[in-house]
């Protein structure tokens, strides 16, 4: 009994060029995606009533700027290693 809340941070890439990298940050509640940020869109998008209200608030506050910077910090800095590792295994 209870609730399950989790968050995923994902880097999508097909090369090490920053323009070919996308960062997706998603929030889930009981296996249902409630809100997500996609660096290709540049803002939060809500998928439920709660998600829509939070997306509106987060897109008007500092959260959207901080999350936009995550692509550089989280993905761009690590994709080179991931890309080389993936090529070495194939």
């Amino acid at each position: 009994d209870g609730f399950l809340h989790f968050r995923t941070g994902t880097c999508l890439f097909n090369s090490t060029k920053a323009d070919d990298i996308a960062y997706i940050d998603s929030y889930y509640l009981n296996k249902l995606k409630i809100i997500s940020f996609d660096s290709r869109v540049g803002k939060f998008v809500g998928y439920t009533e709660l998600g829509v209200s939070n997306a509106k608030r987060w897109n008007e506050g500092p959260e959207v700027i901080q999350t936009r910077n995550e692509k550089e910090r989280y993905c761009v800095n690590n994709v080179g290693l991931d890309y080389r590792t993936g090529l070495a295994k194939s």
Side-chain angles (χ1 to χ4, degrees), residues 3-38:
F3 297 98
L4 172 66
H5 175 263
F6 64 99
R7 177 181 178 188
T8 62
T10 305
C11 300
L12 303 175
F13 60 95
N14 57 17
S15 82
T16 57
K17 296 177 186 170
D19 290 345
D20 293 336
I21 299 170
Y23 172 69
I24 300 171
D25 187 17
S26 299
Y27 295 78
Y28 296 83
L29 180 62
N30 293 338
K31 300 181 185 178
L32 178 66
K33 185 189 285 191
I34 57 173
I35 191 169
S36 184
F37 175 88
D38 186 329

Side-chain angles (χ1 to χ4, degrees), residues 8-85:
T8 62
T10 305
C11 300
L12 303 175
F13 60 95
N14 57 17
S15 82
T16 57
K17 296 177 186 170
D19 290 345
D20 293 336
I21 299 170
Y23 172 69
I24 300 171
D25 187 17
S26 299
Y27 295 78
Y28 296 83
L29 180 62
N30 293 338
K31 300 181 185 178
L32 178 66
K33 185 189 285 191
I34 57 173
I35 191 169
S36 184
F37 175 88
D38 186 329
S39 64
R40 296 169 294 193
V41 176
K43 66 180 183 175
F44 289 95
V45 176
Y47 299 97
T48 65
E49 185 177 340
L50 174 63
V52 169
S53 66
N54 279 336
K56 184 179 185 310
R57 187 169 46 87
W58 292 355
N59 286 328
E60 294 171 353
E63 293 87 356
V64 75
I65 302 298
Q66 292 168 344
T67 307
R68 284 179 186 153
N69 292 333
E70 285 298 293
K71 174 184 169 181
E72 185 73 29
R73 187 194 69 77
Y74 182 66
C75 294
V76 174
N77 286 332
N78 294 306
V79 159
L81 176 61
D82 295 339
Y83 195 75
R84 286 189 302 276
T85 302

